[in-house]
Amino acid sequence: VDLESVVGTQMISHRTEYKKSAPSRAQRLAKKGDIFFQTVRPYQKNNIFFEGTDKPYVFSTGYAQIRSEVNGKFLLNVLQSASFVNDVVVNCKGTGYPAINPNDLAVLPFLIPADSNEQKAIGEYFANLDSLITNAEERHTKLLALKKSLLQKMFPQEGENVPRIRFEGFEGEWEKKKLGGVFEEYIDKNHADLSPLTIIQGKGTILRDRSDRNLQYDKSNLTNYNLARKDDFILHLRSFEGGLEKANSD
């Protein structure tokens, strides 16, 4: 299990190695209940509570292997918390691949309930949340793949005028039209103190937030923004060498 094999708190991949060909960093034999903490670029927070398996797993030395006397699932969430990770980052060395020495990691303090039952309750609660998140992410990935497939089959492709899949009761060829024949472009300037929108790849139109430095805007220039009304179609064209890139539409 390399550093790329864990995302969030889930192992998403692994590979089989034999002793004679295994990299020198493959040294940590995992035991059920172990926590593996990412010591290289720990701000990514890709750490795992090892649930155990009938096959042996070996983890890269890019992880600190933690065998805890307290509830492991509780401790994993401590290690995932923003305050603890911030302390880890402060103690990292290096720039390109900042890392913390396991000895420096071991002395970082954290708070813990004295009652082991409370530890267990908290650990199980967040483990269940992580499971729900993983299931939702998997469903989201499958839905994206389904949509991509259906977009290819329910819309005519290059050289075609009939889609490969149709709803029952519809037949005949699709009509060819020019884009300018189905809408008209208009520009209505923003003359009121309205909230500005921006178009983000993969997200469509979202509200700009002055507290987010990536979405900052100059309020004094809002009069230069175009006014968007309900049911408008917004097409963002961005120039680049070689032509126009159709970045996003919503």
Side-chain angles (χ1 to χ4, degrees):
V1 179
D2 279 332
L3 290 174
E4 294 79 15
S5 302
V6 176
V7 175
T9 59
Q10 302 294 322
M11 187 193 305
I12 62 169
S13 65
H14 65 273
R15 70 173 188 267
T16 300
E17 290 283 359
Y18 296 92
K19 187 174 181 180
K20 62 181 180 181
S21 61
S24 59
R25 64 182 181 276
Q27 298 178 3
R28 308 296 183 85
L29 184 62
K31 180 181 178 182
K32 183 178 180 179
D34 284 352
I35 295 174
F36 289 90
F37 182 85
Q38 179 183 2
T39 56
V40 181
R41 291 180 290 188
Y43 52 81
Q44 294 179 337
K45 299 201 290 187
N46 297 322
N47 310 309
I48 187 172
F49 175 81
F50 187 69
E51 297 279 6
T53 176
D54 57 347
K55 296 181 179 179
Y57 276 79
V58 177
F59 278 69
S60 163
T61 50
Y63 297 96
Q65 186 173 10
I66 300 171
R67 195 159 291 169
S68 174
E69 295 180 356
V70 301
N71 184 274
K73 292 181 179 180
F74 169 84
L75 183 58
L76 174 65
N77 287 283
V78 171
L79 301 181
Q80 291 287 95
S81 67
S83 59
F84 187 85
V85 172
N86 288 340
D87 288 343
V88 173
V89 171
V90 168
N91 286 275
C92 281
K93 296 179 175 59
T95 53
Y97 293 91
I100 186 169
N101 185 289
N103 292 329
D104 294 330
L105 179 66
V107 298
L108 295 180
F110 63 93
L111 292 172
I112 182 173
D115 190 333
S116 61
N117 289 324
E118 186 176 5
Q119 298 173 27
K120 182 179 179 181
I122 294 173
E124 291 294 338
Y125 179 79
F126 281 98
N128 289 334
L129 283 181
D130 284 339
S131 179
L132 290 173
I133 291 170
T134 299
N135 291 337
E137 289 173 343
E138 291 176 352
R139 185 169 183 269
H140 179 249
T141 299
K142 291 177 180 178
L143 287 173
L144 287 177
L146 175 62
K147 180 181 178 180
K148 181 178 180 181
S149 174
L150 291 177
L151 282 172
Q152 294 175 339
K153 296 176 181 178
M154 296 185 72
F155 288 81
Q157 300 302 300
E158 186 72 28
E160 301 174 345
N161 53 24
V162 175
R164 301 171 192 174
I165 295 178
R166 306 183 82 164
F167 289 115
E168 186 177 354
F170 296 96
E171 58 184 19
E173 296 183 352
W174 285 25
E175 298 178 358
K176 179 175 287 188
K177 292 183 177 290
K178 292 184 178 180
L179 195 57
V182 297
F183 76 87
E184 61 179 354
E185 182 181 9
Y186 77 93
I187 296 176
D188 189 2
K189 291 298 183 183
N190 175 24
H191 298 297
D193 187 17
L194 302 178
S195 300
L197 299 172
T198 190
I199 299 179
I200 301 295
Q201 183 70 34
K203 296 182 179 179
T205 51
I206 65 172
L207 283 172
R208 303 190 75 162
D209 183 357
R210 298 192 76 188
S211 64
D212 187 339
R213 63 182 180 181
N214 296 317
L215 297 176
Q216 284 179 354
Y217 62 91
D218 184 356
K219 190 173 182 179
S220 64
N221 289 330
L222 287 185
T223 54
N224 294 325
Y225 280 48
N226 295 331
L227 186 64
R229 301 185 185 278
K230 183 181 178 181
D231 296 330
D232 280 353
F233 183 89
I234 303 169
L235 181 65
H236 181 203
L237 299 177
R238 186 169 60 229
S239 319
F240 73 104
E241 289 186 9
L244 286 175
E245 176 189 3
K246 294 178 181 177
N248 261 293
S249 60
D250 199 353

